């Protein structure tokens, strides 16, 4: 079953015909929200609101391990994550959708692995290609079929937040090769890999990153809210098409 993790602007999947909800207890504590099981385009899917249903959990307080563990233990075999980002490079602009193919982790102070006990052998997982190519291809095909423009590829720079970046920090990230910046990509992406769940992300560009374009002097939160709202309609259509494509 496909899981959708919704971020800012997608705390509820209005297109989902809800069958039941479940609060899952995990060895890592409680997930951000109840898992919402239901049908979308005739397929079973499960939805999880990353920041809680009331959007009250900031990115650095999300219990990523509990979220991923809960999905793994409810028969999830693929995860499509939705996350809002800022555009670092001129290749994308507010309102655009990006399917990132690479990631750089700048976060700190987060529980970032399931393999941190001293009671078992050390485990290292391969993370060369952080996003699963099959699921990415499925999203690209769905976007094509639904006539939704998406950028095929992007380098997601994951930061801790909750504050936005300085212009100099964005300059550094651009020198590193990051093209978009967001606060929730890590450790979510790596934890999915540790659990062996194919994972891909739809990044919704909601602003020019600090020091870029219309954010040259400051990032406007009002503008972010406006862009987020309109872009999410597109995201919902895309998700439905991804699910249909698997039917
Ligand atoms: N920086 C970090 N995270 C974000 C941004 C940003 O500019 N926009 C949306 N999420």
């Amino acid at each position: 079953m496909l899981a959708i993790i919704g971020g800012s602007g997608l705390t509820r999947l209005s297109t989902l015909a809800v069958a039941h909800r479940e609060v899952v207890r995990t060895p890592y504590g409680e997930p951000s929200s109840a898992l919402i099981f239901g049908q979308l385009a005739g397929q079973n899917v499960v939805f999880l609101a990353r920041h809680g249903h009331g959007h009250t959990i900031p990115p650095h307080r999300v219990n990523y391990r509990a979220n991923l563990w809960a999905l793994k233990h409810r028969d999830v075999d693929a995860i499509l994550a939705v996350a809002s980002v800022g555009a670092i490079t001129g290749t994308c602009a507010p309102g655009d959708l990006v399917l990132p193919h690479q990631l750089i982790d700048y976060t700190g102070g987060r529980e970032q692995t399931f393999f941190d006990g001293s009671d078992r052998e050390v485990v290292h997982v391969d993370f060369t290609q952080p996003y699963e190519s099959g699921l990415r291809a499925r999203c690209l095909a769905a976007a094509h079929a639904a006539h939704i423009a998406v950028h095929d590829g992007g380098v997601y720079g994951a930061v801790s937040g909750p504050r936005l970046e300085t212009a100099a920090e964005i300059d550094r990230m651009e020198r590193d090769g990051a093209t978009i910046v967001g606060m929730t990509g890590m450790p979510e992406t790596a934890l999915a890999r540790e659990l062996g769940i194919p994972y891909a992300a739809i990044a919704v560009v909601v602003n020019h990153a600090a020091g870029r374009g219309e954010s040259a002097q400051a990032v406007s939160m009002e503008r972010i809210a406006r862009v987020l709202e309109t872009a999410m309609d597109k995201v919902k259509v895309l998700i439905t098409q991804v699910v249909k494509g698997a039917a």
Side-chain angles (χ1 to χ4, degrees), residues 84-86 159 164-165 181-183 206-207 209 224:
S84 62
V85 296
V159 295
L164 296 178
E165 300 69 44
V181 52
M183 298 179 191
V206 293
N207 61 289
I224 286 183

Side-chain angles (χ1 to χ4, degrees), residues 4-6 10-12 21-26 30-36 46-57 62-63 66-67 70-71:
I4 292 129
I5 301 181
L10 195 69
T11 51
R12 219 171 59 83
R21 294 158 205 272
E22 189 185 353
V23 176
V24 181
R25 310 233 173 271
T26 85
E30 271 199 29
S32 299
S33 59
L35 301 188
I36 313 292
V46 56
F47 178 78
L48 171 66
R50 185 189 287 116
H51 301 287
H53 289 304
H55 199 261
T56 50
I57 310 170
V62 170
N63 191 339
N67 287 353
L71 295 176

